[in-house]
PDB file of all heavy atoms in Angstrom:
ATOM      1  N   GLU Z   1      66.564 -64.604  94.451  1.00 66.00           N
ATOM      2  CA  GLU Z   1      67.092 -64.581  95.854  1.00 66.00           C
ATOM      3  C   GLU Z   1      65.968 -64.257  96.863  1.00 66.00           C
ATOM      4  O   GLU Z   1      66.026 -64.803  97.937  1.00 66.00           O
ATOM      5  CB  GLU Z   1      68.308 -63.717  95.914  1.00 66.00           C
ATOM      6  CG  GLU Z   1      69.017 -63.744  97.220  1.00 66.00           C
ATOM      7  CD  GLU Z   1      70.293 -62.903  97.246  1.00 66.00           C
ATOM      8  OE1 GLU Z   1      70.911 -62.887  96.158  1.00 66.00           O
ATOM      9  OE2 GLU Z   1      70.594 -62.327  98.192  1.00 66.00           O
ATOM     10  N   THR Z   2      65.198 -63.277  96.482  1.00 61.00           N
ATOM     11  CA  THR Z   2      64.203 -62.823  97.468  1.00 61.00           C
ATOM     12  C   THR Z   2      62.861 -63.581  97.382  1.00 61.00           C
ATOM     13  O   THR Z   2      62.150 -63.496  98.328  1.00 61.00           O
ATOM     14  CB  THR Z   2      63.883 -61.256  97.232  1.00 61.00           C
ATOM     15  OG1 THR Z   2      63.484 -61.088  95.864  1.00 61.00           O
ATOM     16  CG2 THR Z   2      65.208 -60.493  97.481  1.00 61.00           C
ATOM     17  N   SER Z   3      62.569 -64.132  96.289  1.00 58.00           N
ATOM     18  CA  SER Z   3      61.189 -64.755  96.144  1.00 58.00           C
ATOM     19  C   SER Z   3      61.134 -66.217  96.010  1.00 58.00           C
ATOM     20  O   SER Z   3      60.126 -66.858  96.245  1.00 58.00           O
ATOM     21  CB  SER Z   3      60.501 -64.141  94.929  1.00 58.00           C
ATOM     22  OG  SER Z   3      61.147 -64.511  93.766  1.00 58.00           O
ATOM     23  N   GLU Z   4      62.251 -66.880  95.573  1.00 53.00           N
ATOM     24  CA  GLU Z   4      62.173 -68.372  95.424  1.00 53.00           C
ATOM     25  C   GLU Z   4      62.907 -69.008  96.551  1.00 53.00           C
ATOM     26  O   GLU Z   4      63.999 -68.669  96.891  1.00 53.00           O
ATOM     27  CB  GLU Z   4      62.887 -68.706  94.113  1.00 53.00           C
ATOM     28  CG  GLU Z   4      62.823 -70.251  93.857  1.00 53.00           C
ATOM     29  CD  GLU Z   4      63.441 -70.653  92.584  1.00 53.00           C
ATOM     30  OE1 GLU Z   4      63.589 -69.797  91.708  1.00 53.00           O
ATOM     31  OE2 GLU Z   4      63.710 -71.852  92.453  1.00 53.00           O
ATOM     32  N   VAL Z   5      62.250 -70.022  97.139  1.00 54.00           N
ATOM     33  CA  VAL Z   5      62.812 -70.777  98.216  1.00 54.00           C
ATOM     34  C   VAL Z   5      63.096 -72.111  97.713  1.00 54.00           C
ATOM     35  O   VAL Z   5      62.157 -72.911  97.527  1.00 54.00           O
ATOM     36  CB  VAL Z   5      61.944 -70.826  99.428  1.00 54.00           C
ATOM     37  CG1 VAL Z   5      62.551 -71.550 100.521  1.00 54.00           C
ATOM     38  CG2 VAL Z   5      61.547 -69.450  99.928  1.00 54.00           C
ATOM     39  N   ARG Z   6      64.374 -72.442  97.465  1.00 54.00           N
ATOM     40  CA  ARG Z   6      64.690 -73.682  96.848  1.00 54.00           C
ATOM     41  C   ARG Z   6      65.042 -74.706  98.028  1.00 54.00           C
ATOM     42  O   ARG Z   6      65.793 -74.426  98.888  1.00 54.00           O
ATOM     43  CB  ARG Z   6      66.047 -73.493  95.962  1.00 54.00           C
ATOM     44  CG  ARG Z   6      66.456 -74.888  95.356  1.00 54.00           C
ATOM     45  CD  ARG Z   6      65.494 -75.485  94.378  1.00 54.00           C
ATOM     46  NE  ARG Z   6      65.670 -76.855  94.157  1.00 54.00           N
ATOM     47  CZ  ARG Z   6      64.900 -77.566  93.360  1.00 54.00           C
ATOM     48  NH1 ARG Z   6      63.933 -77.091  92.808  1.00 54.00           N
ATOM     49  NH2 ARG Z   6      65.243 -78.912  93.142  1.00 54.00           N
ATOM     50  N   GLY Z   7      64.425 -75.888  97.972  1.00 50.00           N
ATOM     51  CA  GLY Z   7      64.591 -76.864  98.985  1.00 50.00           C
ATOM     52  C   GLY Z   7      65.924 -77.611  98.815  1.00 50.00           C
ATOM     53  O   GLY Z   7      66.628 -77.427  97.843  1.00 50.00           O
ATOM     54  N   ALA Z   8      66.199 -78.395  99.891  1.00 54.00           N
ATOM     55  CA  ALA Z   8      67.480 -79.123  99.874  1.00 54.00           C
ATOM     56  C   ALA Z   8      67.169 -80.634  99.398  1.00 54.00           C
ATOM     57  O   ALA Z   8      67.933 -81.470  99.812  1.00 54.00           O
ATOM     58  CB  ALA Z   8      68.160 -79.122 101.182  1.00 54.00           C
ATOM     59  N   ASP Z   9      66.067 -80.765  98.777  1.00 63.00           N
ATOM     60  CA  ASP Z   9      65.694 -82.098  98.211  1.00 63.00           C
ATOM     61  C   ASP Z   9      65.323 -83.121  99.260  1.00 63.00           C
ATOM     62  O   ASP Z   9      65.461 -84.257  98.981  1.00 63.00           O
ATOM     63  CB  ASP Z   9      66.827 -82.598  97.252  1.00 63.00           C
ATOM     64  CG  ASP Z   9      67.018 -81.772  96.057  1.00 63.00           C
ATOM     65  OD1 ASP Z   9      66.053 -80.948  95.725  1.00 63.00           O
ATOM     66  OD2 ASP Z   9      68.072 -81.749  95.488  1.00 63.00           O
ATOM     67  N   ALA Z  10      64.892 -82.628 100.422  1.00 67.00           N
ATOM     68  CA  ALA Z  10      64.393 -83.627 101.386  1.00 67.00           C
ATOM     69  C   ALA Z  10      62.969 -84.018 100.878  1.00 67.00           C
ATOM     70  O   ALA Z  10      62.346 -83.283 100.210  1.00 67.00           O
ATOM     71  CB  ALA Z  10      64.210 -82.967 102.767  1.00 67.00           C
ATOM     72  N   GLU Z  11      62.619 -85.292 101.190  1.00 71.00           N
ATOM     73  CA  GLU Z  11      61.218 -85.734 100.756  1.00 71.00           C
ATOM     74  C   GLU Z  11      60.325 -85.985 101.884  1.00 71.00           C
ATOM     75  O   GLU Z  11      60.755 -86.326 103.068  1.00 71.00           O
ATOM     76  CB  GLU Z  11      61.444 -87.028 100.035  1.00 71.00           C
ATOM     77  CG  GLU Z  11      62.179 -86.833  98.679  1.00 71.00           C
ATOM     78  CD  GLU Z  11      62.252 -88.104  97.906  1.00 71.00           C
ATOM     79  OE1 GLU Z  11      61.695 -89.127  98.304  1.00 71.00           O
ATOM     80  OE2 GLU Z  11      62.852 -88.090  96.749  1.00 71.00           O
ATOM     81  N   ILE Z  12      59.033 -85.864 101.652  1.00 73.00           N
ATOM     82  CA  ILE Z  12      58.034 -86.152 102.699  1.00 73.00           C
ATOM     83  C   ILE Z  12      57.530 -87.582 102.452  1.00 73.00           C
ATOM     84  O   ILE Z  12      56.908 -87.872 101.392  1.00 73.00           O
ATOM     85  CB  ILE Z  12      56.860 -85.143 102.600  1.00 73.00           C
ATOM     86  CG1 ILE Z  12      57.448 -83.660 102.701  1.00 73.00           C
ATOM     87  CG2 ILE Z  12      55.862 -85.418 103.669  1.00 73.00           C
ATOM     88  CD1 ILE Z  12      56.280 -82.687 102.356  1.00 73.00           C
ATOM     89  N   LEU Z  13      57.721 -88.433 103.405  1.00 72.00           N
ATOM     90  CA  LEU Z  13      57.262 -89.831 103.332  1.00 72.00           C
ATOM     91  C   LEU Z  13      56.058 -89.994 104.252  1.00 72.00           C
ATOM     92  O   LEU Z  13      56.089 -89.590 105.433  1.00 72.00           O
ATOM     93  CB  LEU Z  13      58.342 -90.815 103.717  1.00 72.00           C
ATOM     94  CG  LEU Z  13      59.666 -90.615 102.885  1.00 72.00           C
ATOM     95  CD1 LEU Z  13      60.749 -91.593 103.406  1.00 72.00           C
ATOM     96  CD2 LEU Z  13      59.442 -90.954 101.450  1.00 72.00           C
ATOM     97  N   ASP Z  14      55.029 -90.516 103.718  1.00 81.00           N
ATOM     98  CA  ASP Z  14      53.735 -90.718 104.462  1.00 81.00           C
ATOM     99  C   ASP Z  14      53.369 -89.437 105.222  1.00 81.00           C
ATOM    100  O   ASP Z  14      53.366 -89.412 106.466  1.00 81.00           O
ATOM    101  CB  ASP Z  14      53.991 -91.908 105.467  1.00 81.00           C
ATOM    102  CG  ASP Z  14      52.655 -92.327 106.193  1.00 81.00           C
ATOM    103  OD1 ASP Z  14      51.584 -92.064 105.541  1.00 81.00           O
ATOM    104  OD2 ASP Z  14      52.649 -92.847 107.234  1.00 81.00           O
ATOM    105  N   PRO Z  15      52.962 -88.422 104.529  1.00 87.00           N
ATOM    106  CA  PRO Z  15      52.632 -87.084 105.089  1.00 87.00           C
ATOM    107  C   PRO Z  15      51.416 -87.209 106.092  1.00 87.00           C
ATOM    108  O   PRO Z  15      50.412 -87.820 105.749  1.00 87.00           O
ATOM    109  CB  PRO Z  15      52.340 -86.177 103.940  1.00 87.00           C
ATOM    110  CG  PRO Z  15      51.889 -87.163 102.865  1.00 87.00           C
ATOM    111  CD  PRO Z  15      52.723 -88.379 103.039  1.00 87.00           C
ATOM    112  N   LYS Z  16      51.577 -86.535 107.259  1.00 90.00           N
ATOM    113  CA  LYS Z  16      50.514 -86.504 108.233  1.00 90.00           C
ATOM    114  C   LYS Z  16      49.840 -85.215 108.251  1.00 90.00           C
ATOM    115  O   LYS Z  16      48.635 -85.106 108.453  1.00 90.00           O
ATOM    116  CB  LYS Z  16      51.092 -86.827 109.577  1.00 90.00           C
ATOM    117  CG  LYS Z  16      51.771 -88.137 109.784  1.00 90.00           C
ATOM    118  CD  LYS Z  16      50.860 -89.341 109.394  1.00 90.00           C
ATOM    119  CE  LYS Z  16      51.614 -90.670 109.579  1.00 90.00           C
ATOM    120  NZ  LYS Z  16      50.794 -91.817 109.220  1.00 90.00           N
ATOM    121  N   GLY Z  17      50.610 -84.123 108.064  1.00 92.00           N
ATOM    122  CA  GLY Z  17      49.980 -82.698 107.988  1.00 92.00           C
ATOM    123  C   GLY Z  17      50.200 -81.956 109.278  1.00 92.00           C
ATOM    124  O   GLY Z  17      49.486 -81.009 109.535  1.00 92.00           O
ATOM    125  N   ARG Z  18      51.222 -82.341 110.101  1.00 93.00           N
ATOM    126  CA  ARG Z  18      51.471 -81.544 111.314  1.00 93.00           C
ATOM    127  C   ARG Z  18      52.333 -80.391 110.982  1.00 93.00           C
ATOM    128  O   ARG Z  18      53.355 -80.388 110.254  1.00 93.00           O
ATOM    129  CB  ARG Z  18      52.251 -82.428 112.329  1.00 93.00           C
ATOM    130  CG  ARG Z  18      52.394 -81.654 113.637  1.00 93.00           C
ATOM    131  CD  ARG Z  18      53.206 -82.598 114.671  1.00 93.00           C
ATOM    132  NE  ARG Z  18      53.159 -82.066 115.969  1.00 93.00           N
ATOM    133  CZ  ARG Z  18      54.094 -81.142 116.514  1.00 93.00           C
ATOM    134  NH1 ARG Z  18      55.054 -80.766 115.711  1.00 93.00           N
ATOM    135  NH2 ARG Z  18      53.977 -80.737 117.717  1.00 93.00           N
ATOM    136  N   ILE Z  19      51.841 -79.195 111.422  1.00 94.00           N
ATOM    137  CA  ILE Z  19      52.499 -77.890 111.116  1.00 94.00           C
ATOM    138  C   ILE Z  19      52.932 -77.328 112.412  1.00 94.00           C
ATOM    139  O   ILE Z  19      52.169 -77.167 113.351  1.00 94.00           O
ATOM    140  CB  ILE Z  19      51.549 -76.906 110.422  1.00 94.00           C
ATOM    141  CG1 ILE Z  19      51.217 -77.431 108.995  1.00 94.00           C
ATOM    142  CG2 ILE Z  19      52.224 -75.530 110.321  1.00 94.00           C
ATOM    143  CD1 ILE Z  19      52.371 -77.472 108.066  1.00 94.00           C
ATOM    144  N   ALA Z  20      54.246 -76.946 112.486  1.00 94.00           N
ATOM    145  CA  ALA Z  20      54.778 -76.299 113.656  1.00 94.00           C
ATOM    146  C   ALA Z  20      55.564 -75.099 113.295  1.00 94.00           C
ATOM    147  O   ALA Z  20      56.481 -75.110 112.455  1.00 94.00           O
ATOM    148  CB  ALA Z  20      55.741 -77.215 114.397  1.00 94.00           C
ATOM    149  N   VAL Z  21      55.122 -73.897 113.787  1.00 94.00           N
ATOM    150  CA  VAL Z  21      55.710 -72.670 113.488  1.00 94.00           C
ATOM    151  C   VAL Z  21      56.518 -72.244 114.728  1.00 94.00           C
ATOM    152  O   VAL Z  21      55.871 -72.074 115.829  1.00 94.00           O
ATOM    153  CB  VAL Z  21      54.751 -71.523 113.069  1.00 94.00           C
ATOM    154  CG1 VAL Z  21      55.357 -70.201 112.931  1.00 94.00           C
ATOM    155  CG2 VAL Z  21      53.897 -72.040 111.887  1.00 94.00           C
ATOM    156  N   GLU Z  22      57.818 -72.086 114.562  1.00 94.00           N
ATOM    157  CA  GLU Z  22      58.663 -71.775 115.777  1.00 94.00           C
ATOM    158  C   GLU Z  22      59.337 -70.468 115.635  1.00 94.00           C
ATOM    159  O   GLU Z  22      60.322 -70.281 114.868  1.00 94.00           O
ATOM    160  CB  GLU Z  22      59.734 -72.952 115.817  1.00 94.00           C
ATOM    161  CG  GLU Z  22      59.122 -74.329 115.812  1.00 94.00           C
ATOM    162  CD  GLU Z  22      60.129 -75.439 115.688  1.00 94.00           C
ATOM    163  OE1 GLU Z  22      61.307 -75.062 115.392  1.00 94.00           O
ATOM    164  OE2 GLU Z  22      59.818 -76.669 115.754  1.00 94.00           O
ATOM    165  N   ASN Z  23      58.881 -69.504 116.410  1.00 94.00           N
ATOM    166  CA  ASN Z  23      59.519 -68.187 116.571  1.00 94.00           C
ATOM    167  C   ASN Z  23      59.876 -67.562 115.251  1.00 94.00           C
ATOM    168  O   ASN Z  23      61.047 -67.138 115.008  1.00 94.00           O
ATOM    169  CB  ASN Z  23      60.765 -68.341 117.436  1.00 94.00           C
ATOM    170  CG  ASN Z  23      61.317 -67.005 117.929  1.00 94.00           C
ATOM    171  OD1 ASN Z  23      60.570 -66.079 118.142  1.00 94.00           O
ATOM    172  ND2 ASN Z  23      62.604 -66.893 118.010  1.00 94.00           N
ATOM    173  N   VAL Z  24      58.838 -67.420 114.343  1.00 94.00           N
ATOM    174  CA  VAL Z  24      59.098 -66.965 113.004  1.00 94.00           C
ATOM    175  C   VAL Z  24      59.115 -65.479 113.019  1.00 94.00           C
ATOM    176  O   VAL Z  24      58.149 -64.819 113.464  1.00 94.00           O
ATOM    177  CB  VAL Z  24      58.080 -67.617 112.012  1.00 94.00           C
ATOM    178  CG1 VAL Z  24      58.031 -66.790 110.783  1.00 94.00           C
ATOM    179  CG2 VAL Z  24      58.349 -69.001 111.746  1.00 94.00           C
ATOM    180  N   HIS Z  25      60.166 -64.880 112.398  1.00 94.00           N
ATOM    181  CA  HIS Z  25      60.289 -63.482 112.073  1.00 94.00           C
ATOM    182  C   HIS Z  25      60.361 -63.369 110.513  1.00 94.00           C
ATOM    183  O   HIS Z  25      61.012 -64.105 109.844  1.00 94.00           O
ATOM    184  CB  HIS Z  25      61.454 -62.839 112.659  1.00 94.00           C
ATOM    185  CG  HIS Z  25      61.396 -62.807 114.189  1.00 94.00           C
ATOM    186  ND1 HIS Z  25      61.467 -63.974 114.964  1.00 94.00           N
ATOM    187  CD2 HIS Z  25      61.364 -61.715 115.016  1.00 94.00           C
ATOM    188  CE1 HIS Z  25      61.443 -63.592 116.220  1.00 94.00           C
ATOM    189  NE2 HIS Z  25      61.379 -62.316 116.355  1.00 94.00           N
ATOM    190  N   TYR Z  26      59.692 -62.303 110.015  1.00 93.00           N
ATOM    191  CA  TYR Z  26      59.926 -62.059 108.615  1.00 93.00           C
ATOM    192  C   TYR Z  26      59.861 -60.554 108.290  1.00 93.00           C
ATOM    193  O   TYR Z  26      59.048 -59.793 108.816  1.00 93.00           O
ATOM    194  CB  TYR Z  26      58.763 -62.692 107.737  1.00 93.00           C
ATOM    195  CG  TYR Z  26      58.930 -62.604 106.261  1.00 93.00           C
ATOM    196  CD1 TYR Z  26      59.852 -63.372 105.627  1.00 93.00           C
ATOM    197  CD2 TYR Z  26      58.260 -61.583 105.488  1.00 93.00           C
ATOM    198  CE1 TYR Z  26      60.128 -63.184 104.263  1.00 93.00           C
ATOM    199  CE2 TYR Z  26      58.504 -61.459 104.189  1.00 93.00           C
ATOM    200  CZ  TYR Z  26      59.439 -62.262 103.581  1.00 93.00           C
ATOM    201  OH  TYR Z  26      59.719 -62.135 102.212  1.00 93.00           O
ATOM    202  N   LEU Z  27      60.765 -60.160 107.421  1.00 90.00           N
ATOM    203  CA  LEU Z  27      60.935 -58.764 107.014  1.00 90.00           C
ATOM    204  C   LEU Z  27      60.943 -58.677 105.449  1.00 90.00           C
ATOM    205  O   LEU Z  27      61.813 -59.362 104.826  1.00 90.00           O
ATOM    206  CB  LEU Z  27      62.286 -58.173 107.542  1.00 90.00           C
ATOM    207  CG  LEU Z  27      62.627 -56.777 107.138  1.00 90.00           C
ATOM    208  CD1 LEU Z  27      61.629 -55.738 107.715  1.00 90.00           C
ATOM    209  CD2 LEU Z  27      64.072 -56.368 107.483  1.00 90.00           C
ATOM    210  N   HIS Z  28      60.007 -58.036 104.881  1.00 85.00           N
ATOM    211  CA  HIS Z  28      60.004 -57.840 103.471  1.00 85.00           C
ATOM    212  C   HIS Z  28      61.131 -57.079 102.935  1.00 85.00           C
ATOM    213  O   HIS Z  28      61.481 -56.042 103.630  1.00 85.00           O
ATOM    214  CB  HIS Z  28      58.656 -57.106 103.122  1.00 85.00           C
ATOM    215  CG  HIS Z  28      57.455 -57.989 103.049  1.00 85.00           C
ATOM    216  ND1 HIS Z  28      57.323 -59.122 102.258  1.00 85.00           N
ATOM    217  CD2 HIS Z  28      56.280 -57.872 103.699  1.00 85.00           C
ATOM    218  CE1 HIS Z  28      56.133 -59.718 102.536  1.00 85.00           C
ATOM    219  NE2 HIS Z  28      55.536 -58.965 103.368  1.00 85.00           N
ATOM    220  N   PRO Z  29      61.766 -57.413 101.829  1.00 79.00           N
ATOM    221  CA  PRO Z  29      62.932 -56.695 101.335  1.00 79.00           C
ATOM    222  C   PRO Z  29      62.578 -55.232 101.059  1.00 79.00           C
ATOM    223  O   PRO Z  29      61.543 -54.946 100.496  1.00 79.00           O
ATOM    224  CB  PRO Z  29      63.159 -57.377  99.993  1.00 79.00           C
ATOM    225  CG  PRO Z  29      62.736 -58.834 100.207  1.00 79.00           C
ATOM    226  CD  PRO Z  29      61.510 -58.627 101.016  1.00 79.00           C
ATOM    227  N   GLY Z  30      63.397 -54.270 101.439  1.00 74.00           N
ATOM    228  CA  GLY Z  30      63.151 -52.936 101.298  1.00 74.00           C
ATOM    229  C   GLY Z  30      62.382 -52.288 102.370  1.00 74.00           C
ATOM    230  O   GLY Z  30      62.170 -51.043 102.319  1.00 74.00           O
ATOM    231  N   ARG Z  31      61.865 -53.042 103.421  1.00 80.00           N
ATOM    232  CA  ARG Z  31      61.079 -52.424 104.494  1.00 80.00           C
ATOM    233  C   ARG Z  31      61.935 -52.373 105.711  1.00 80.00           C
ATOM    234  O   ARG Z  31      62.675 -53.278 105.996  1.00 80.00           O
ATOM    235  CB  ARG Z  31      59.822 -53.237 104.613  1.00 80.00           C
ATOM    236  CG  ARG Z  31      58.871 -53.033 103.506  1.00 80.00           C
ATOM    237  CD  ARG Z  31      57.479 -53.659 103.780  1.00 80.00           C
ATOM    238  NE  ARG Z  31      56.836 -53.143 104.989  1.00 80.00           N
ATOM    239  CZ  ARG Z  31      55.638 -53.501 105.436  1.00 80.00           C
ATOM    240  NH1 ARG Z  31      54.932 -54.349 104.713  1.00 80.00           N
ATOM    241  NH2 ARG Z  31      55.148 -53.018 106.530  1.00 80.00           N
ATOM    242  N   ALA Z  32      61.669 -51.438 106.521  1.00 80.00           N
ATOM    243  CA  ALA Z  32      62.452 -51.263 107.813  1.00 80.00           C
ATOM    244  C   ALA Z  32      61.834 -52.082 109.011  1.00 80.00           C
ATOM    245  O   ALA Z  32      62.571 -52.604 109.794  1.00 80.00           O
ATOM    246  CB  ALA Z  32      62.557 -49.786 108.169  1.00 80.00           C
ATOM    247  N   GLU Z  33      60.531 -52.173 108.941  1.00 86.00           N
ATOM    248  CA  GLU Z  33      59.887 -52.846 110.054  1.00 86.00           C
ATOM    249  C   GLU Z  33      59.457 -54.297 109.693  1.00 86.00           C
ATOM    250  O   GLU Z  33      58.941 -54.528 108.619  1.00 86.00           O
ATOM    251  CB  GLU Z  33      58.617 -52.113 110.518  1.00 86.00           C
ATOM    252  CG  GLU Z  33      58.937 -50.671 111.082  1.00 86.00           C
ATOM    253  CD  GLU Z  33      59.706 -50.784 112.306  1.00 86.00           C
ATOM    254  OE1 GLU Z  33      59.521 -51.760 113.119  1.00 86.00           O
ATOM    255  OE2 GLU Z  33      60.564 -49.890 112.531  1.00 86.00           O
ATOM    256  N   PRO Z  34      59.709 -55.337 110.581  1.00 90.00           N
ATOM    257  CA  PRO Z  34      59.276 -56.653 110.287  1.00 90.00           C
ATOM    258  C   PRO Z  34      57.772 -56.786 110.163  1.00 90.00           C
ATOM    259  O   PRO Z  34      57.029 -56.071 110.846  1.00 90.00           O
ATOM    260  CB  PRO Z  34      59.789 -57.447 111.539  1.00 90.00           C
ATOM    261  CG  PRO Z  34      60.810 -56.543 112.090  1.00 90.00           C
ATOM    262  CD  PRO Z  34      60.376 -55.182 111.854  1.00 90.00           C
ATOM    263  N   VAL Z  35      57.369 -57.761 109.353  1.00 92.00           N
ATOM    264  CA  VAL Z  35      55.857 -57.995 109.192  1.00 92.00           C
ATOM    265  C   VAL Z  35      55.439 -58.965 110.248  1.00 92.00           C
ATOM    266  O   VAL Z  35      54.326 -58.816 110.772  1.00 92.00           O
ATOM    267  CB  VAL Z  35      55.641 -58.566 107.766  1.00 92.00           C
ATOM    268  CG1 VAL Z  35      54.182 -58.780 107.620  1.00 92.00           C
ATOM    269  CG2 VAL Z  35      56.158 -57.607 106.699  1.00 92.00           C
ATOM    270  N   LEU Z  36      56.281 -59.944 110.572  1.00 94.00           N
ATOM    271  CA  LEU Z  36      55.996 -60.930 111.629  1.00 94.00           C
ATOM    272  C   LEU Z  36      57.066 -60.917 112.658  1.00 94.00           C
ATOM    273  O   LEU Z  36      58.253 -60.886 112.303  1.00 94.00           O
ATOM    274  CB  LEU Z  36      55.764 -62.282 111.023  1.00 94.00           C
ATOM    275  CG  LEU Z  36      54.606 -62.433 110.070  1.00 94.00           C
ATOM    276  CD1 LEU Z  36      54.737 -63.896 109.371  1.00 94.00           C
ATOM    277  CD2 LEU Z  36      53.266 -62.298 110.796  1.00 94.00           C
ATOM    278  N   LEU Z  37      56.677 -61.043 113.938  1.00 94.00           N
ATOM    279  CA  LEU Z  37      57.619 -60.950 115.061  1.00 94.00           C
ATOM    280  C   LEU Z  37      57.353 -62.134 116.033  1.00 94.00           C
ATOM    281  O   LEU Z  37      56.337 -62.147 116.742  1.00 94.00           O
ATOM    282  CB  LEU Z  37      57.571 -59.678 115.782  1.00 94.00           C
ATOM    283  CG  LEU Z  37      58.101 -58.443 115.033  1.00 94.00           C
ATOM    284  CD1 LEU Z  37      57.549 -57.079 115.694  1.00 94.00           C
ATOM    285  CD2 LEU Z  37      59.581 -58.390 114.974  1.00 94.00           C
ATOM    286  N   GLY Z  38      58.202 -63.160 115.991  1.00 93.00           N
ATOM    287  CA  GLY Z  38      58.111 -64.213 116.949  1.00 93.00           C
ATOM    288  C   GLY Z  38      56.898 -65.012 116.993  1.00 93.00           C
ATOM    289  O   GLY Z  38      56.333 -65.377 118.063  1.00 93.00           O
ATOM    290  N   VAL Z  39      56.315 -65.318 115.746  1.00 94.00           N
ATOM    291  CA  VAL Z  39      55.063 -66.115 115.724  1.00 94.00           C
ATOM    292  C   VAL Z  39      55.396 -67.577 115.898  1.00 94.00           C
ATOM    293  O   VAL Z  39      56.243 -68.216 115.294  1.00 94.00           O
ATOM    294  CB  VAL Z  39      54.394 -65.875 114.326  1.00 94.00           C
ATOM    295  CG1 VAL Z  39      53.105 -66.747 114.236  1.00 94.00           C
ATOM    296  CG2 VAL Z  39      54.016 -64.424 114.212  1.00 94.00           C
ATOM    297  N   SER Z  40      54.535 -68.196 116.760  1.00 94.00           N
ATOM    298  CA  SER Z  40      54.739 -69.656 117.138  1.00 94.00           C
ATOM    299  C   SER Z  40      53.405 -70.329 117.363  1.00 94.00           C
ATOM    300  O   SER Z  40      52.519 -69.620 118.056  1.00 94.00           O
ATOM    301  CB  SER Z  40      55.634 -69.845 118.311  1.00 94.00           C
ATOM    302  OG  SER Z  40      56.896 -69.346 118.187  1.00 94.00           O
ATOM    303  N   PHE Z  41      53.132 -71.399 116.786  1.00 95.00           N
ATOM    304  CA  PHE Z  41      51.955 -72.248 117.096  1.00 95.00           C
ATOM    305  C   PHE Z  41      52.174 -73.606 116.517  1.00 95.00           C
ATOM    306  O   PHE Z  41      53.066 -73.900 115.750  1.00 95.00           O
ATOM    307  CB  PHE Z  41      50.638 -71.625 116.466  1.00 95.00           C
ATOM    308  CG  PHE Z  41      50.686 -71.422 115.001  1.00 95.00           C
ATOM    309  CD1 PHE Z  41      50.202 -72.475 114.238  1.00 95.00           C
ATOM    310  CD2 PHE Z  41      51.095 -70.266 114.357  1.00 95.00           C
ATOM    311  CE1 PHE Z  41      50.161 -72.379 112.789  1.00 95.00           C
ATOM    312  CE2 PHE Z  41      51.105 -70.147 113.029  1.00 95.00           C
ATOM    313  CZ  PHE Z  41      50.617 -71.204 112.236  1.00 95.00           C
TER     314      PHE Z  41
END
């Protein structure tokens, strides 16, 4: 539950390689403070 991210079986057709990070927050399990706060690029 904490380490495996299972996809919904969407497929990438003709990949270009565009990466968009939108307001990402991440908190490690068992920690009180987030590791990432609102990262976007």
Side-chain angles (χ1 to χ4, degrees):
E1 187 176 322
T2 56
S3 64
E4 180 179 343
V5 182
R6 178 66 197 178
D9 296 339
E11 293 186 2
I12 306 171
L13 302 176
D14 189 23
K16 304 298 182 184
R18 186 180 191 272
I19 294 292
V21 177
E22 303 169 355
N23 193 32
V24 163
H25 294 67
Y26 186 77
L27 175 68
H28 282 301
R31 291 187 56 176
E33 296 296 326
V35 182
L36 296 173
L37 291 163
V39 175
S40 299
F41 63 86

